[in-house]
Amino acid sequence: MTRGVALAIMALVGMACEPVAEGEVRVTVSGGDGTQRGYPSHLFQDGWSVQFTKYLVSLGDFTLTSASGQTRTAPEHMLVDVQKGDVPLTGLKGLPAGRWSVGFRLSPPREDTTLPDGTVSAEDAARMREHGYSYWVEGVAVKAGVGVYTFRMGFPVNARMADCVNGVDGTLGIVVPENSVAEAEVTIHAEHMFYDRLGTHRGVQLRFDAFAATADGNKVITPEGLAAQNLLDLQGLDGGELKDGQGRPVVYEPGAYAVRTLQEFITQSIVDQAHLNGGGVCTVAP
């Protein structure tokens, strides 16, 4: 063996023994200003304002995938109330530094789902598990000249969010830094539930008249009431055809989705409301 070959082999051995630089990821869940402060009337085409008192989200199975196909999954599944503020979800340590794609699942509470102390009740978890809800929201809606309405609404979303774009810089996933921590925030965009069209964020209007028209005698809006609101025959508060302020019929545009009721429309609209680090959208996977 020549001296040059020996040196080359020694160099390769030395490189193979070098430790791989590692970092970690901390994951939080946030509802942002929307769930915590609500939405003022000027944002709604029909003049309502909305304030949440509870915004429960059931999620987990946060997964990172490297460019080489290595996968790391945090097993935690939690039911959190993002109306109360940002909530730590999980963390992953010992990750090789570099870019990782991001995914997670929205799904109903499981038997092993964790409830943060003092913020989510066992009764809420049981209700959501029974009905297959991943979201449960409560609050009040107000419209001048109409009154104050209360809502208690649940939505049966079960979807995996994958290949999330980072809302900070528009790149795919996150970069795990060497000997440091990357922050990953699952950001809930609650305004999606008030959209009047599916399949696009362009040209949408936020509306609430159709919600209010489903309320019971105590002015409470429920999933059962929303399910009775037929998209092809939208009813207003007076029991007649739902019209906007200019007297035109209100139309909810379903796009390519086969939804028949307001409950189904809202459920489809909020499937992709969980983003990464602010506005980074994710692909909805089975």
Side-chain angles (χ1 to χ4, degrees), residues 197-200 231 252-260 265 268:
R197 60 174 59 183
L198 298 178
T200 181
L231 292 178
Y252 276 70
E253 300 180 18
Y257 297 97
V259 293
R260 297 169 299 170
F265 187 99
Q268 183 60 55

Side-chain angles (χ1 to χ4, degrees), residues 54-161:
K54 184 180 292 185
Y55 204 108
L56 305 185
V57 184
S58 179
L59 77 167
D61 300 332
F62 188 87
T63 301
L64 298 176
T65 305
S66 70
S68 64
Q70 180 182 358
T71 299
R72 292 284 299 275
T73 298
E76 288 87 354
H77 194 274
M78 295 180 67
L79 177 59
V80 300
D81 186 354
V82 294
Q83 199 283 325
K84 303 296 188 294
D86 299 353
V87 183
L89 177 61
T90 190
L92 289 165
K93 297 183 178 181
L95 298 165
R99 184 170 296 278
W100 295 71
S101 66
V102 173
F104 54 92
R105 177 169 288 279
L106 280 300
S107 58
R110 311 182 308 215
E111 291 299 330
D112 64 343
T113 295
T114 301
L115 310 181
D117 294 338
T119 60
V120 179
S121 70
E123 291 77 14
D124 282 332
R127 180 198 305 112
M128 294 176 68
R129 187 180 300 115
E130 177 184 358
H131 294 283
Y133 295 147
S134 289
Y135 291 101
W136 178 261
V137 300
E138 298 181 10
V140 295
V142 180
K143 184 175 181 178
V146 176
V148 179
Y149 283 66
T150 301
F151 54 83
R152 302 188 186 109
M153 307 183 297
F155 304 102
V157 172
N158 192 336
R160 176 147 190 87
M161 314 308 292

Side-chain angles (χ1 to χ4, degrees), residues 27-44:
V27 188
T28 58
V29 188
S30 174
D33 288 344
T35 62
Q36 296 172 32
R37 300 181 184 178
Y39 298 103
S41 60
H42 74 268
L43 295 179
F44 283 83

